[in-house]
Structure formats: structure tokens, C-alpha cells
């Protein structure tokens, strides 16, 4: 019975979060590729955010009648709502930076730059005392070195584009050649994406903090998506005055908005909130490197994207730094588990168990 309970707990804390985060990374790359394809057909990112987050808020609306009536949850006070609105502001800024970066660059570039998230998450986790910093510890030194290496790799991706690896045929221009940005646009896109992946760890830490105060993923994500939709509508009213941009027909833009609203804004945010509450921000950020190979394959197949040497070198450096951070994290957790096990053994002493003590006394008398 105890073994079955331990197995269920292992599946819930280890296997399920792992499978969920891998699935979400695959999903994110696909949605970014779909957004890039829709953006090339004239879709506005400001309009996109309003409709996508509006769809997510409508989907999540029915769940609030059940959540707010739950006796297991604390009251939803003004302080929690204000924090969720702040989360919405951070999320909106992150999204607009990310989609602008993809517009200038590509989904492959976005996936390469997303590997900055673990490094920035680690730095912010130290600042907010969610991670311990002990320079004498091997695990801490590994995480620090990995953070520096990851940021160095991001500079390589940003400022060194390099020659193309898979040159397109010269007879006919590929879709990527028609849409490809210049070197300056590549740098601009990288800078926008860097800002996004500075804001993403802030989002992670805010969600973790809010979930401790109000542990309901669907409620938090509903008010979050509603806040982002309102903020996007206000900004979009001034940033996108052309009314024709707001008229969405049955085309790739509509498909992109609906898919993003359902799978990204709704499901992805809910899964991330749950994983952040269960395992913490550093664990969630560790899955970002998976998106590199997925994005490269999708970019080449769907968008006719061109792989550049700078992206491959920079992404490789970032991944090395990332796994250095993760090795340090794993070593730290294993040491923590060893300390807990040792403490448990120390509790099982003669002083705490008189029967054992009496047995020892009897043995001494016999001798």
C-alpha cells in the first residue's frame, strides 16, 4: 500500500511534470511557427494578442463559477487581483516583445534565445531568495558558470549571424528568402527576444508567489488572460489605427489566433502555473533547450527557413551553459535528499525508541 502511494507520488511529481513540460515546448514552437506564417500574410501582433487572449478568457470563464464557490480556496481579495493584473502587465510586455522579435527574426532564433530563460531565472531566484548562493559549494559554482556561459552564447546568436548552412536553391527564391530580414533586423529581433526572456523569469516568479497565496491555476490564468486582453486592446487601439487589420476572415490569421488562444493562452499557461507551483521556476525553465531542434526542423520544413552558423554556435554555447546550471541544480537536490535521509535515520535512535534501548540493556546483562 505504501509502495503504491509512493509510486503515485513519484508519477505526480516527476513523470507527469516532465511529460507536460516537454509537450508544452513542442506546442510553443508549433504556435510560434504558425504566428510567423500568419504575420507574413499581414496579421498585426497587437490585434493577434487581443483576440487570442480574449478567446482564452472566454474558454476559462465557466471554470470560475466552480472555483469561486470552492470552500478549499481562500477568498479572492483585492491584493491577489492586483498581483494578477501586475502579472498580466509583465505577460503582455513579454508577449509583445517576443512576437516582435519573431517578426524581425524567426522561430528558430526565438528558440535559441529562449535558452536564456534558465540563466535569468536562476539569477532572479537568487535575488528573491528562492535559490541558495554558497560559493564554496560545487553546485553553486556550476550554476554561476553555466549562467555566464549561457549569456555569452546569447551574445553570439545576437551579433554573429554567419554564413547559411542550408543554402536555398538559386533558381527560385524560397519563402524565407522573400521574408528574410537583413543583418540589422536579425540583431533587432535578438534584442527584442532577449527582453522577452528577461521578463519570462519574472513571470515565473510572480506566478509561483501568487500560487502560494491563491492555489487555483484556472482562476489565476483566467484573470491573467482577461488582463492581457484588456491591456492589448488599449495599446492596440493606438498602435493599430487601421480598422481593416481588426477584421479577421477565414484565413491563416484566424487559425493562428484560435490555436494560440486555446493551446497557448489557456492550456499552456495553466500547465506552466501548475508546474511552477509543484516544482518551482528553475525546473520549468530547464526545458527551454528542447525547442531548438524542434524549431529548426519546423522552420526549414514549413517556412523554408535558413539555418545560420551563428545560431548553431550560439545555441550550442547556451545549451552547454544551461546543462551546467541543471547539473548544479541536480547535485544540490541530491545532496538535500541525502541530508533528509540522514536526518530521518538519526531520528530512529535508541532515545526515541525505548524498546530498542531495553533490548540493548538486556543484551548487556546477558554478556
Amino acid at each position: 500500500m505504501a509502495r503504491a502511494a509512493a509510486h503515485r507520488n513519484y508519477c505526480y511529481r516527476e513523470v507527469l511534470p516532465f511529460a507536460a513540460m516537454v509537450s508544452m515546448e513542442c506546442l510553443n514552437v508549433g504556435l510560434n511557427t504558425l504566428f510567423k506564417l500568419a504575420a507574413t500574410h499581414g496579421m498585426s501582433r497587437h490585434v493577434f494578442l487581443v483576440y487570442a487572449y480574449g478567446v482564452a478568457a472566454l474558454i476559462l470563464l465557466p471554470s470560475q463559477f466552480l472555483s469561486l464557490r470552492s470552500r478549499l480556496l481562500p477568498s479572492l481579495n483585492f491584493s491577489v487581483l492586483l498581483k494578477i493584473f501586475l502579472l498580466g502587465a509583465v505577460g503582455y510586455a513579454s508577449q509583445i516583445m517576443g512576437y516582435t522579435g519573431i517578426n524581425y527574426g524567426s522561430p528558430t532564433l526565438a528558440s535559441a534565445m529562449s535558452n536564456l530563460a534558465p540563466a535569468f531565472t536562476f539569477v532572479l531566484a537568487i535575488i528573491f531568495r528562492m535559490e541558495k548562493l554558497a560559493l564554496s559549494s560545487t553546485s553553486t559554482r556550476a550554476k554561476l558558470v553555466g549562467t555566464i556561459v549561457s549569456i555569452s552564447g546569447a551574445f553570439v546568436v545576437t551579433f554573429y549571424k554567419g554564413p547559411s548552412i542550408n543554402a536555398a536553391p538559386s533558381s527560385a527564391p524560397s519563402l524565407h528568402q522573400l521574408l528574410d530580414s537583413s543583418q540589422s533586423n536579425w540583431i533587432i529581433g535578438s534584442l527584442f527576444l532577449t527582453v522577452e526572456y528577461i521578463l519570462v523569469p519574472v513571470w515565473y516568479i510572480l506566478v509561483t508567489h501568487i500560487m502560494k497565496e491563491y492555489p487555483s491555476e484556472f482562476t489565476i490564468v483566467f484573470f491573467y488572460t482577461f488582463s492581457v486582453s484588456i491591456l492589448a486592446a488599449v495599446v492596440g487601439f493606438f498602435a493599430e489605427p487601421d480598422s481593416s487589420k481588426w477584421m479577421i476572415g477565414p484565413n491563416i490569421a484566424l487559425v493562428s489566433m484560435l490555436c494560440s488562444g486555446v493551446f497557448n493562452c489557456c492550456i499552456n499557461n495553466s500547465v506552466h502555473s501548475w508546474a511552477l507551483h509543484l516544482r518551482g521556476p528553475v525546473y520549468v525553465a530547464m526545458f527551454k533547450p528542447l525547442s531548438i531542434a524542434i524549431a529548426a526542423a519546423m522552420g526549414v520544413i514549413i517556412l523554408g527557413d535558413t539555418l545560420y552558423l551563428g545560431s548553431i554556435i550560439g545555441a550550442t554555447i547556451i545549451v552547454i551553459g544551461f546543462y551546467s546550471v541543471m547539473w548544479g541544480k541536480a547535485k544540490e537536490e541530491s545532496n538535500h535528499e541525502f541530508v533528509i535521509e540522514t536526518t530521518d535515520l538519526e531520528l530512529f535512535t535508541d532515545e526515541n525508541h525505548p524498546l530498542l534501548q531495553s533490548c540493548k540493556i538486556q543484551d548487556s546483562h546477558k554478556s
Side-chain angles (χ1 to χ4, degrees), residues 33-69:
T33 305
L34 188 61
F35 169 81
K36 177 69 176 181
L37 196 60
T40 59
H41 287 79
M43 182 185 68
S44 167
R45 57 187 176 276
H46 298 286
V47 176
F48 170 82
L49 286 173
V50 175
Y51 289 148
Y53 277 88
V55 167
L58 286 174
I59 293 172
L60 290 167
L61 181 60
S63 67
Q64 302 319 299
F65 296 103
L66 298 175
S67 297
L68 294 175
R69 291 180 180 179

Side-chain angles (χ1 to χ4, degrees), residues 172-250:
S174 68
L175 177 60
H176 179 78
Q177 287 176 319
L178 294 173
L179 305 171
D180 190 20
S181 57
S182 63
Q183 179 69 27
S184 60
N185 284 350
W186 186 267
I187 293 173
I188 292 171
S190 298
L191 293 175
F192 274 111
L193 290 166
T194 300
V195 175
E196 179 193 12
Y197 289 108
I198 292 173
L199 292 172
V200 164
V202 176
W203 193 90
Y204 286 165
I205 288 172
L206 276 173
V207 170
T208 306
H209 175 74
I210 296 170
M211 284 291 293
K212 289 179 180 178
E213 189 173 351
Y214 194 85
S216 174
E217 294 87 356
F218 289 117
T219 300
I220 291 172
V221 174
F222 166 73
F223 284 105
Y224 165 72
T225 53
F226 181 74
S227 299
V228 173
S229 183
I230 296 299
L231 287 169
V234 172
V235 175
F237 178 79
F238 297 100
E240 199 60 71
D242 186 2
S243 59
S244 63
K245 295 283 187 179
W246 295 85
M247 304 298 293
I248 306 298

Side-chain angles (χ1 to χ4, degrees), residues 30-360:
L31 292 173
N32 283 343
T33 305
L34 188 61
F35 169 81
K36 177 69 176 181
L37 196 60
T40 59
H41 287 79
M43 182 185 68
S44 167
R45 57 187 176 276
H46 298 286
V47 176
F48 170 82
L49 286 173
V50 175
Y51 289 148
Y53 277 88
V55 167
L58 286 174
I59 293 172
L60 290 167
L61 181 60
S63 67
Q64 302 319 299
F65 296 103
L66 298 175
S67 297
L68 294 175
R69 291 180 180 179
S70 175
R71 296 181 181 179
L72 300 175
L73 292 170
S75 60
L76 188 63
N77 53 43
F78 178 75
S79 174
V80 173
L81 290 174
L82 188 61
K83 290 174 183 176
I84 295 175
F85 182 79
L86 176 61
L87 183 71
V90 172
Y92 171 70
S94 170
Q95 291 288 298
I96 202 69
M97 291 293 168
Y99 286 127
T100 304
I102 293 172
N103 222 8
Y104 279 103
S106 68
T108 306
L109 176 64
S111 294
M113 298 301 290
S114 72
N115 293 278
L116 281 172
F120 287 133
T121 303
F122 173 61
V123 171
L124 288 173
I126 290 173
I127 294 171
F128 289 98
R129 297 182 180 180
M130 302 174 79
E131 291 283 330
K132 295 180 180 179
L133 184 63
L135 295 177
S136 59
S137 170
T138 305
S139 60
T140 299
R141 288 199 296 269
K143 289 189 286 186
L144 283 174
V145 170
T147 300
I148 295 169
V149 171
S150 294
I151 295 172
S152 301
F155 277 108
V156 173
V157 173
T158 302
F159 297 108
Y160 176 65
K161 191 174 184 180
S164 62
I165 302 300
N166 57 330
S170 57
S171 56
S174 68
L175 177 60
H176 179 78
Q177 287 176 319
L178 294 173
L179 305 171
D180 190 20
S181 57
S182 63
Q183 179 69 27
S184 60
N185 284 350
W186 186 267
I187 293 173
I188 292 171
S190 298
L191 293 175
F192 274 111
L193 290 166
T194 300
V195 175
E196 179 193 12
Y197 289 108
I198 292 173
L199 292 172
V200 164
V202 176
W203 193 90
Y204 286 165
I205 288 172
L206 276 173
V207 170
T208 306
H209 175 74
I210 296 170
M211 284 291 293
K212 289 179 180 178
E213 189 173 351
Y214 194 85
S216 174
E217 294 87 356
F218 289 117
T219 300
I220 291 172
V221 174
F222 166 73
F223 284 105
Y224 165 72
T225 53
F226 181 74
S227 299
V228 173
S229 183
I230 296 299
L231 287 169
V234 172
V235 175
F237 178 79
F238 297 100
E240 199 60 71
D242 186 2
S243 59
S244 63
K245 295 283 187 179
W246 295 85
M247 304 298 293
I248 306 298
N251 50 29
I252 188 66
L254 179 62
V255 174
S256 178
M257 289 174 185
L258 290 176
C259 288
S260 183
V262 175
F263 296 109
N264 182 27
C265 307
C266 185
I267 297 175
N268 186 36
N269 285 332
S270 298
V271 170
H272 272 80
S273 299
W274 167 74
L276 286 165
H277 182 57
L278 186 68
R279 298 301 305 270
V282 176
Y283 178 86
V284 172
M286 71 180 282
F287 289 90
K288 289 299 180 184
L290 292 174
S291 61
I292 297 177
I294 304 166
M298 284 189 176
V300 171
I301 296 169
I302 299 175
L303 297 175
D305 222 343
T306 303
L307 293 177
Y308 291 96
L309 182 63
S311 295
I312 294 175
I313 293 174
T316 303
I317 295 171
I318 291 172
V319 170
I320 291 170
F322 159 75
Y323 281 110
S324 177
V325 174
M326 288 304 107
W327 180 85
K329 182 67 176 172
K331 185 175 177 63
E332 184 181 71
E333 288 181 353
S334 64
N335 291 338
H336 180 65
E337 289 173 2
F338 176 76
V339 170
I340 291 174
E341 289 174 2
T342 305
T343 306
D344 291 341
L345 288 173
E346 288 174 351
L347 290 173
F348 196 74
T349 58
D350 296 347
E351 290 78 4
N352 295 322
H353 295 80
L355 289 176
L356 293 178
Q357 193 175 24
S358 64
C359 290
K360 284 195 170 184

